[in-house]
Short mmCIF file of all heavy atoms in Angstrom, two decimals:
data_model
loop_
_atom_site.label_atom_id
_atom_site.label_comp_id
_atom_site.label_asym_id
_atom_site.label_seq_id
_atom_site.Cartn_x
_atom_site.Cartn_y
_atom_site.Cartn_z
N MET A 25 110.78 121.71 105.27
CA MET A 25 110.29 121.12 104.10
C MET A 25 109.07 120.22 104.57
O MET A 25 109.04 119.85 105.66
CB MET A 25 111.44 120.19 103.54
CG MET A 25 110.94 118.82 102.98
SD MET A 25 112.20 118.16 101.76
CE MET A 25 111.17 117.53 100.53
N GLU A 26 108.06 119.94 103.61
CA GLU A 26 106.92 119.31 104.03
C GLU A 26 106.71 118.09 103.21
O GLU A 26 106.98 118.08 101.82
CB GLU A 26 105.68 120.29 103.94
CG GLU A 26 104.48 119.57 104.53
CD GLU A 26 103.23 120.48 104.60
OE1 GLU A 26 103.44 121.73 104.38
OE2 GLU A 26 102.18 119.97 104.97
N LYS A 27 106.25 117.05 103.69
CA LYS A 27 106.02 115.73 102.83
C LYS A 27 104.80 115.03 103.37
O LYS A 27 104.57 114.97 104.53
CB LYS A 27 107.31 114.94 102.92
CG LYS A 27 107.15 113.57 102.23
CD LYS A 27 108.38 113.20 101.44
CE LYS A 27 108.09 111.89 100.54
NZ LYS A 27 107.56 111.98 99.26
N THR A 28 104.07 114.40 102.47
CA THR A 28 102.92 113.62 102.85
C THR A 28 103.23 112.23 102.56
O THR A 28 103.65 111.86 101.36
CB THR A 28 101.64 114.10 102.00
OG1 THR A 28 101.35 115.42 102.44
CG2 THR A 28 100.52 113.23 102.54
N LEU A 29 103.09 111.37 103.48
CA LEU A 29 103.31 109.84 103.37
C LEU A 29 101.99 109.14 103.36
O LEU A 29 101.14 109.49 104.15
CB LEU A 29 104.22 109.31 104.66
CG LEU A 29 105.65 110.02 104.70
CD1 LEU A 29 106.24 109.62 106.04
CD2 LEU A 29 106.47 109.62 103.57
N ASN A 30 101.87 108.11 102.60
CA ASN A 30 100.77 107.27 102.62
C ASN A 30 100.95 106.14 103.56
O ASN A 30 101.95 105.41 103.50
CB ASN A 30 100.51 106.59 101.25
CG ASN A 30 100.11 107.74 100.26
OD1 ASN A 30 99.16 108.47 100.50
ND2 ASN A 30 100.81 107.76 99.11
N VAL A 31 100.10 105.93 104.59
CA VAL A 31 100.35 104.95 105.63
C VAL A 31 99.11 104.00 105.72
O VAL A 31 98.01 104.46 105.73
CB VAL A 31 100.41 105.69 107.02
CG1 VAL A 31 100.59 104.60 108.06
CG2 VAL A 31 101.54 106.64 106.93
N GLN A 32 99.40 102.66 105.63
CA GLN A 32 98.34 101.69 105.65
C GLN A 32 98.05 101.27 106.94
O GLN A 32 98.99 101.10 107.81
CB GLN A 32 98.80 100.42 104.79
CG GLN A 32 99.28 100.73 103.33
CD GLN A 32 98.14 101.23 102.50
OE1 GLN A 32 97.04 100.64 102.50
NE2 GLN A 32 98.26 102.31 101.85
N GLY A 33 96.74 101.01 107.30
CA GLY A 33 96.47 100.26 108.54
C GLY A 33 95.98 101.18 109.72
O GLY A 33 95.79 100.73 110.83
N MET A 34 96.03 102.55 109.57
CA MET A 34 95.58 103.34 110.63
C MET A 34 94.02 103.44 110.67
O MET A 34 93.45 103.74 109.67
CB MET A 34 96.08 104.80 110.44
CG MET A 34 97.53 104.95 110.43
SD MET A 34 98.17 106.63 110.34
CE MET A 34 97.49 107.15 108.85
N THR A 35 93.39 103.13 111.79
CA THR A 35 91.97 103.01 111.87
C THR A 35 91.32 103.84 112.96
O THR A 35 90.14 104.16 112.71
CB THR A 35 91.53 101.56 112.08
OG1 THR A 35 92.17 101.12 113.29
CG2 THR A 35 91.93 100.61 110.97
N CYS A 36 92.06 104.30 113.91
CA CYS A 36 91.37 104.91 115.02
C CYS A 36 92.29 106.04 115.64
O CYS A 36 93.43 106.26 115.23
CB CYS A 36 90.95 103.96 116.08
SG CYS A 36 92.29 103.29 116.96
N GLY A 37 91.80 106.73 116.57
CA GLY A 37 92.48 107.77 117.33
C GLY A 37 93.81 107.25 117.96
O GLY A 37 94.76 108.03 118.01
N HIS A 38 93.83 106.04 118.39
CA HIS A 38 95.09 105.50 118.76
C HIS A 38 96.14 105.38 117.83
O HIS A 38 97.34 105.77 118.07
CB HIS A 38 94.88 104.17 119.60
CG HIS A 38 96.07 103.35 119.94
ND1 HIS A 38 96.76 102.47 119.05
CD2 HIS A 38 96.93 103.60 120.98
CE1 HIS A 38 97.82 102.04 119.79
NE2 HIS A 38 98.02 102.74 120.83
N CYS A 39 95.74 104.92 116.64
CA CYS A 39 96.64 104.80 115.57
C CYS A 39 97.23 106.22 115.23
O CYS A 39 98.34 106.33 114.97
CB CYS A 39 96.00 104.30 114.30
SG CYS A 39 95.33 102.66 114.53
N LYS A 40 96.40 107.13 115.08
CA LYS A 40 96.66 108.58 114.81
C LYS A 40 97.75 109.10 115.88
O LYS A 40 98.80 109.62 115.47
CB LYS A 40 95.41 109.40 114.91
CG LYS A 40 95.68 110.89 114.64
CD LYS A 40 94.29 111.61 114.66
CE LYS A 40 94.34 113.00 114.98
NZ LYS A 40 94.96 113.94 113.88
N MET A 41 97.45 108.88 117.22
CA MET A 41 98.40 109.29 118.23
C MET A 41 99.83 108.63 118.08
O MET A 41 100.80 109.16 118.22
CB MET A 41 97.85 108.98 119.61
CG MET A 41 96.55 109.77 119.79
SD MET A 41 96.91 111.54 120.11
CE MET A 41 97.66 111.52 121.69
N ALA A 42 99.70 107.30 117.81
CA ALA A 42 100.98 106.41 117.76
C ALA A 42 101.79 106.97 116.62
O ALA A 42 103.03 107.16 116.80
CB ALA A 42 100.57 104.98 117.53
N VAL A 43 101.19 107.21 115.49
CA VAL A 43 102.05 107.69 114.28
C VAL A 43 102.60 109.02 114.48
O VAL A 43 103.73 109.30 114.29
CB VAL A 43 101.20 107.54 113.03
CG1 VAL A 43 101.87 108.26 111.83
CG2 VAL A 43 100.85 106.05 112.69
N GLU A 44 101.65 109.93 115.00
CA GLU A 44 102.09 111.34 115.14
C GLU A 44 103.22 111.40 116.22
O GLU A 44 104.10 112.11 116.10
CB GLU A 44 100.86 112.21 115.61
CG GLU A 44 99.95 112.40 114.42
CD GLU A 44 98.68 113.25 114.72
OE1 GLU A 44 98.52 113.46 116.01
OE2 GLU A 44 97.91 113.57 113.80
N GLY A 45 102.97 110.63 117.32
CA GLY A 45 103.89 110.66 118.37
C GLY A 45 105.29 110.06 117.97
O GLY A 45 106.27 110.73 118.35
N ALA A 46 105.25 109.04 117.20
CA ALA A 46 106.57 108.49 116.72
C ALA A 46 107.36 109.50 115.88
O ALA A 46 108.53 109.51 116.02
CB ALA A 46 106.37 107.17 116.01
N LEU A 47 106.59 110.18 115.07
CA LEU A 47 107.19 111.11 114.09
C LEU A 47 107.76 112.32 114.95
O LEU A 47 108.84 112.80 114.71
CB LEU A 47 106.28 111.54 113.02
CG LEU A 47 106.02 110.51 112.04
CD1 LEU A 47 104.77 110.97 111.08
CD2 LEU A 47 107.28 110.28 111.08
N LYS A 48 106.99 112.90 115.77
CA LYS A 48 107.37 114.01 116.60
C LYS A 48 108.54 113.71 117.57
O LYS A 48 109.20 114.55 117.92
CB LYS A 48 106.19 114.55 117.46
CG LYS A 48 105.21 115.21 116.55
CD LYS A 48 103.95 115.60 117.33
CE LYS A 48 102.84 116.26 116.40
NZ LYS A 48 101.63 116.33 117.15
N ASN A 49 108.72 112.43 117.87
CA ASN A 49 109.95 112.02 118.64
C ASN A 49 111.21 112.04 117.98
O ASN A 49 112.35 112.12 118.47
CB ASN A 49 109.73 110.58 119.05
CG ASN A 49 109.04 110.47 120.57
OD1 ASN A 49 109.00 111.52 121.19
ND2 ASN A 49 108.54 109.36 120.85
N LEU A 50 111.15 112.11 116.64
CA LEU A 50 112.37 112.24 115.73
C LEU A 50 112.86 113.68 115.79
O LEU A 50 112.13 114.63 115.69
CB LEU A 50 112.07 111.81 114.34
CG LEU A 50 111.61 110.44 114.12
CD1 LEU A 50 111.29 110.25 112.59
CD2 LEU A 50 112.71 109.51 114.51
N ASP A 51 114.21 113.77 115.99
CA ASP A 51 114.86 115.04 116.05
C ASP A 51 114.76 115.65 114.64
O ASP A 51 115.08 114.99 113.66
CB ASP A 51 116.28 114.86 116.51
CG ASP A 51 117.05 116.26 116.84
OD1 ASP A 51 116.13 117.13 117.26
OD2 ASP A 51 118.20 116.36 116.57
N GLY A 52 114.21 116.90 114.62
CA GLY A 52 114.07 117.50 113.22
C GLY A 52 112.70 117.50 112.73
O GLY A 52 112.41 118.29 111.73
N VAL A 53 111.83 116.80 113.34
CA VAL A 53 110.35 116.79 112.83
C VAL A 53 109.69 117.91 113.70
O VAL A 53 109.67 117.84 114.96
CB VAL A 53 109.64 115.42 113.06
CG1 VAL A 53 108.17 115.49 112.70
CG2 VAL A 53 110.24 114.35 112.09
N SER A 54 108.99 118.78 113.11
CA SER A 54 108.23 119.80 113.91
C SER A 54 106.75 119.55 113.97
O SER A 54 106.20 119.79 115.02
CB SER A 54 108.58 121.19 113.26
OG SER A 54 108.59 121.33 111.84
N THR A 55 106.19 119.08 112.85
CA THR A 55 104.80 118.77 112.98
C THR A 55 104.43 117.44 112.26
O THR A 55 105.10 117.22 111.33
CB THR A 55 103.84 119.94 112.42
OG1 THR A 55 104.03 119.95 110.99
CG2 THR A 55 104.12 121.27 113.04
N ALA A 56 103.47 116.76 112.84
CA ALA A 56 102.93 115.57 112.14
C ALA A 56 101.52 115.60 112.29
O ALA A 56 100.94 115.66 113.51
CB ALA A 56 103.64 114.40 112.69
N GLU A 57 100.76 115.43 111.19
CA GLU A 57 99.31 115.44 111.26
C GLU A 57 98.66 114.33 110.40
O GLU A 57 98.88 114.29 109.19
CB GLU A 57 98.89 116.84 110.68
CG GLU A 57 97.41 117.02 110.61
CD GLU A 57 96.89 117.38 112.03
OE1 GLU A 57 97.43 118.22 112.71
OE2 GLU A 57 95.69 116.89 112.35
N VAL A 58 97.99 113.45 111.18
CA VAL A 58 97.45 112.33 110.45
C VAL A 58 96.05 112.57 109.94
O VAL A 58 95.22 113.24 110.57
CB VAL A 58 97.32 111.04 111.43
CG1 VAL A 58 96.36 109.95 110.80
CG2 VAL A 58 98.71 110.43 111.53
N ASP A 59 95.79 112.23 108.62
CA ASP A 59 94.40 112.28 108.18
C ASP A 59 93.92 110.78 108.09
O ASP A 59 94.38 110.02 107.13
CB ASP A 59 94.46 112.87 106.76
CG ASP A 59 92.91 113.01 106.21
OD1 ASP A 59 92.10 112.17 106.61
OD2 ASP A 59 92.74 113.92 105.39
N LEU A 60 93.14 110.31 109.01
CA LEU A 60 92.71 108.97 109.12
C LEU A 60 91.97 108.40 107.89
O LEU A 60 92.18 107.38 107.39
CB LEU A 60 91.88 108.67 110.32
CG LEU A 60 92.60 108.50 111.61
CD1 LEU A 60 91.51 108.24 112.74
CD2 LEU A 60 93.51 107.29 111.71
N GLU A 61 91.03 109.29 107.40
CA GLU A 61 90.20 108.82 106.37
C GLU A 61 90.94 108.65 105.10
O GLU A 61 90.74 107.87 104.25
CB GLU A 61 89.09 109.86 106.07
CG GLU A 61 88.02 109.83 107.22
CD GLU A 61 86.76 110.35 106.83
OE1 GLU A 61 86.60 110.87 105.70
OE2 GLU A 61 85.81 110.31 107.61
N ALA A 62 91.93 109.55 104.90
CA ALA A 62 92.79 109.49 103.67
C ALA A 62 93.89 108.49 103.79
O ALA A 62 94.51 108.21 102.83
CB ALA A 62 93.34 110.91 103.35
N GLY A 63 94.18 108.23 104.97
CA GLY A 63 95.37 107.24 105.30
C GLY A 63 96.80 107.95 104.92
O GLY A 63 97.51 107.41 104.35
N LYS A 64 96.79 109.18 105.39
CA LYS A 64 98.00 109.95 105.07
C LYS A 64 98.38 110.71 106.32
O LYS A 64 97.69 110.95 107.12
CB LYS A 64 97.70 111.05 103.98
CG LYS A 64 97.36 110.54 102.59
CD LYS A 64 97.04 111.67 101.68
CE LYS A 64 96.59 111.21 100.28
NZ LYS A 64 97.43 110.37 99.55
N VAL A 65 99.76 110.95 106.28
CA VAL A 65 100.27 111.86 107.37
C VAL A 65 101.13 112.94 106.74
O VAL A 65 101.98 112.63 105.95
CB VAL A 65 101.08 111.00 108.41
CG1 VAL A 65 102.19 110.09 107.80
CG2 VAL A 65 101.65 111.96 109.56
N SER A 66 100.88 114.10 107.09
CA SER A 66 101.74 115.23 106.66
C SER A 66 102.75 115.66 107.71
O SER A 66 102.39 115.88 108.85
CB SER A 66 100.74 116.38 106.40
OG SER A 66 99.71 116.09 105.50
N VAL A 67 103.92 115.59 107.22
CA VAL A 67 105.10 115.92 108.17
C VAL A 67 105.77 117.13 107.71
O VAL A 67 106.07 117.25 106.53
CB VAL A 67 106.05 114.81 108.19
CG1 VAL A 67 107.07 114.85 109.32
CG2 VAL A 67 105.27 113.46 108.33
N THR A 68 106.08 118.05 108.76
CA THR A 68 106.94 119.20 108.42
C THR A 68 108.33 118.84 109.14
O THR A 68 108.21 118.59 110.36
CB THR A 68 106.39 120.47 108.94
OG1 THR A 68 104.93 120.54 108.61
CG2 THR A 68 107.09 121.66 108.40
N PHE A 69 109.41 118.92 108.44
CA PHE A 69 110.64 118.54 109.06
C PHE A 69 111.80 119.33 108.55
O PHE A 69 111.71 120.01 107.44
CB PHE A 69 110.94 117.07 108.81
CG PHE A 69 111.07 116.62 107.37
CD1 PHE A 69 112.25 116.51 106.81
CD2 PHE A 69 109.76 116.51 106.70
CE1 PHE A 69 112.37 116.02 105.44
CE2 PHE A 69 109.88 116.04 105.31
CZ PHE A 69 111.16 115.85 104.81
N ASN A 70 112.98 119.28 109.18
CA ASN A 70 114.12 119.96 108.83
C ASN A 70 115.06 118.93 108.08
O ASN A 70 115.50 117.97 108.69
CB ASN A 70 114.98 120.45 110.16
CG ASN A 70 116.23 121.09 109.69
OD1 ASN A 70 116.78 120.90 108.78
ND2 ASN A 70 116.72 121.98 110.63
N GLU A 71 115.13 119.10 106.89
CA GLU A 71 115.77 118.02 106.01
C GLU A 71 117.24 117.74 106.37
O GLU A 71 117.84 116.83 105.93
CB GLU A 71 115.53 118.13 104.56
CG GLU A 71 116.11 119.54 104.03
CD GLU A 71 115.38 119.89 102.74
OE1 GLU A 71 115.44 119.17 101.80
OE2 GLU A 71 114.79 120.97 102.55
N SER A 72 117.88 118.74 107.05
CA SER A 72 119.26 118.59 107.37
C SER A 72 119.44 117.74 108.71
O SER A 72 120.51 117.30 108.97
CB SER A 72 119.95 119.93 107.64
OG SER A 72 119.47 120.57 108.73
N LYS A 73 118.32 117.44 109.43
CA LYS A 73 118.27 116.64 110.58
C LYS A 73 117.67 115.32 110.45
O LYS A 73 118.01 114.35 111.20
CB LYS A 73 117.57 117.39 111.67
CG LYS A 73 118.36 118.65 112.27
CD LYS A 73 117.61 119.15 113.55
CE LYS A 73 118.45 120.16 114.25
NZ LYS A 73 117.82 120.55 115.48
N VAL A 74 116.76 115.10 109.58
CA VAL A 74 115.97 113.99 109.50
C VAL A 74 115.55 113.66 108.06
O VAL A 74 115.40 114.56 107.23
CB VAL A 74 114.73 113.91 110.42
CG1 VAL A 74 113.73 114.91 110.02
CG2 VAL A 74 114.18 112.60 110.61
N ASN A 75 115.57 112.44 107.66
CA ASN A 75 115.18 112.09 106.26
C ASN A 75 113.89 111.21 106.26
O ASN A 75 113.42 110.73 107.28
CB ASN A 75 116.40 111.40 105.52
CG ASN A 75 116.73 110.20 106.10
OD1 ASN A 75 115.98 109.41 106.73
ND2 ASN A 75 118.05 109.93 106.15
N VAL A 76 113.32 110.99 105.10
CA VAL A 76 112.10 110.33 104.90
C VAL A 76 112.35 108.90 105.25
O VAL A 76 111.29 108.17 105.89
CB VAL A 76 111.67 110.47 103.36
CG1 VAL A 76 110.49 109.45 103.22
CG2 VAL A 76 111.23 111.89 103.13
N GLU A 77 113.50 108.27 105.14
CA GLU A 77 113.79 106.87 105.45
C GLU A 77 113.57 106.70 106.93
O GLU A 77 112.92 105.74 107.43
CB GLU A 77 115.05 106.49 104.92
CG GLU A 77 115.32 105.05 104.82
CD GLU A 77 114.23 104.45 103.86
OE1 GLU A 77 113.88 104.98 102.82
OE2 GLU A 77 113.71 103.43 104.32
N ALA A 78 114.07 107.61 107.72
CA ALA A 78 113.91 107.57 109.18
C ALA A 78 112.54 107.70 109.67
O ALA A 78 112.08 107.09 110.63
CB ALA A 78 114.87 108.72 109.82
N MET A 79 111.75 108.54 108.96
CA MET A 79 110.35 108.77 109.26
C MET A 79 109.60 107.43 108.97
O MET A 79 108.72 107.01 109.65
CB MET A 79 109.75 109.86 108.58
CG MET A 79 110.41 111.21 108.91
SD MET A 79 109.69 112.67 108.28
CE MET A 79 110.04 112.63 106.60
N LYS A 80 109.89 106.87 107.82
CA LYS A 80 109.21 105.59 107.43
C LYS A 80 109.45 104.52 108.43
O LYS A 80 108.66 103.80 108.91
CB LYS A 80 109.74 104.96 106.08
CG LYS A 80 109.11 105.70 104.88
CD LYS A 80 109.93 105.10 103.66
CE LYS A 80 109.04 104.81 102.47
NZ LYS A 80 109.89 104.29 101.36
N GLU A 81 110.79 104.40 108.93
CA GLU A 81 111.08 103.45 109.89
C GLU A 81 110.36 103.65 111.18
O GLU A 81 109.87 102.66 111.89
CB GLU A 81 112.49 103.47 110.18
CG GLU A 81 113.38 102.60 109.22
CD GLU A 81 114.85 102.65 109.40
OE1 GLU A 81 115.32 102.97 110.56
OE2 GLU A 81 115.69 102.60 108.42
N ALA A 82 110.23 104.98 111.68
CA ALA A 82 109.57 105.27 112.89
C ALA A 82 108.04 104.83 112.75
O ALA A 82 107.54 104.30 113.77
CB ALA A 82 109.57 106.72 113.15
N ILE A 83 107.53 105.00 111.64
CA ILE A 83 106.03 104.59 111.48
C ILE A 83 105.89 103.04 111.46
O ILE A 83 105.05 102.48 112.06
CB ILE A 83 105.43 105.20 110.18
CG1 ILE A 83 105.42 106.73 110.32
CG2 ILE A 83 104.01 104.66 109.84
CD1 ILE A 83 105.04 107.44 108.98
N GLU A 84 106.88 102.50 110.77
CA GLU A 84 106.84 100.96 110.62
C GLU A 84 107.06 100.40 111.99
O GLU A 84 106.46 99.20 112.24
CB GLU A 84 107.83 100.50 109.57
CG GLU A 84 107.30 100.74 108.24
CD GLU A 84 108.37 100.67 107.06
OE1 GLU A 84 109.50 100.36 107.39
OE2 GLU A 84 108.00 100.92 105.89
N ASP A 85 107.86 100.98 112.88
CA ASP A 85 108.17 100.45 114.13
C ASP A 85 106.89 100.38 114.99
O ASP A 85 106.73 99.63 115.96
CB ASP A 85 109.15 101.29 114.94
CG ASP A 85 110.62 101.05 114.54
OD1 ASP A 85 110.72 99.96 113.83
OD2 ASP A 85 111.43 101.79 114.91
N GLN A 86 105.81 101.27 114.68
CA GLN A 86 104.59 101.29 115.32
C GLN A 86 103.63 100.24 114.81
O GLN A 86 102.43 100.05 115.29
CB GLN A 86 103.95 102.70 115.25
CG GLN A 86 104.71 103.80 115.82
CD GLN A 86 104.86 103.51 117.34
OE1 GLN A 86 104.02 103.25 118.07
NE2 GLN A 86 106.21 103.74 117.82
N GLY A 87 104.04 99.59 113.69
CA GLY A 87 103.18 98.52 113.14
C GLY A 87 102.40 98.88 111.88
O GLY A 87 101.39 98.11 111.51
N TYR A 88 102.75 100.05 111.30
CA TYR A 88 102.02 100.38 110.12
C TYR A 88 102.87 100.40 108.86
O TYR A 88 104.12 100.54 108.95
CB TYR A 88 101.43 101.90 110.27
CG TYR A 88 100.60 101.81 111.53
CD1 TYR A 88 101.12 102.47 112.71
CD2 TYR A 88 99.29 101.46 111.59
CE1 TYR A 88 100.48 102.56 113.87
CE2 TYR A 88 98.61 101.45 112.82
CZ TYR A 88 99.14 102.07 113.94
OH TYR A 88 98.57 102.10 115.09
N ASP A 89 102.33 100.25 107.66
CA ASP A 89 103.14 100.14 106.48
C ASP A 89 103.05 101.52 105.75
O ASP A 89 102.00 102.05 105.74
CB ASP A 89 102.46 99.10 105.52
CG ASP A 89 102.73 97.66 106.05
OD1 ASP A 89 103.86 97.45 106.63
OD2 ASP A 89 101.84 96.84 105.84
N VAL A 90 104.22 101.89 105.25
CA VAL A 90 104.25 103.18 104.64
C VAL A 90 104.69 102.90 103.09
O VAL A 90 105.46 102.08 102.77
CB VAL A 90 105.48 104.06 105.18
CG1 VAL A 90 105.50 105.37 104.46
CG2 VAL A 90 105.31 104.20 106.63
N GLU A 91 103.89 103.59 102.28
CA GLU A 91 104.27 103.55 100.83
C GLU A 91 104.72 104.90 100.38
O GLU A 91 104.09 105.87 100.68
CB GLU A 91 103.13 102.94 99.96
CG GLU A 91 101.80 103.39 100.32
CD GLU A 91 100.79 102.81 99.30
OE1 GLU A 91 100.51 101.56 99.30
OE2 GLU A 91 100.17 103.53 98.48
N ALA A 92 105.75 104.94 99.55
CA ALA A 92 106.35 106.13 98.94
C ALA A 92 106.62 107.19 100.16
O ALA A 92 105.93 108.10 100.33
CB ALA A 92 105.46 106.72 97.87
CU1 CU B 17 93.96 102.41 115.97
#
């Protein structure tokens, strides 16, 4: 399944790497792609292994805010 999350506060390549890395570290996430200009991250994941709440937490642990 694929989902796009809105993430506040990503400004540069480091932010992109931090968010993508945190998501890819989760078991069940296969791809994570940040669009810095749009402030979004598209995630492809196995919904039987990981949920949106876990992905939000992983992003928030990196210091960014997630909405919806
Ligand atoms: Cu940055």
Side-chain angles (χ1 to χ4, degrees):
M25 140 162 223
E26 190 173 349
K27 175 140 182 89
T28 301
L29 301 169
N30 294 307
V31 181
Q32 306 291 311
M34 299 185 299
T35 55
C36 68
H38 171 263
C39 300
K40 177 176 157 75
M41 296 291 289
V43 169
E44 289 177 351
L47 290 167
K48 287 175 185 166
N49 270 342
L50 295 173
D51 192 29
V53 172
S54 44
T55 67
E57 180 78 44
V58 165
D59 182 332
L60 276 179
E61 291 202 355
K64 291 178 189 299
V65 55
S66 303
V67 193
T68 314
F69 60 99
N70 181 336
E71 59 200 300
S72 66
K73 287 190 169 179
V74 67
N75 58 35
V76 172
E77 204 51 46
M79 297 191 287
K80 277 175 142 181
E81 278 177 24
I83 296 170
E84 286 168 356
D85 281 349
Q86 298 300 313
Y88 307 99
D89 288 326
V90 182
E91 42 176 69

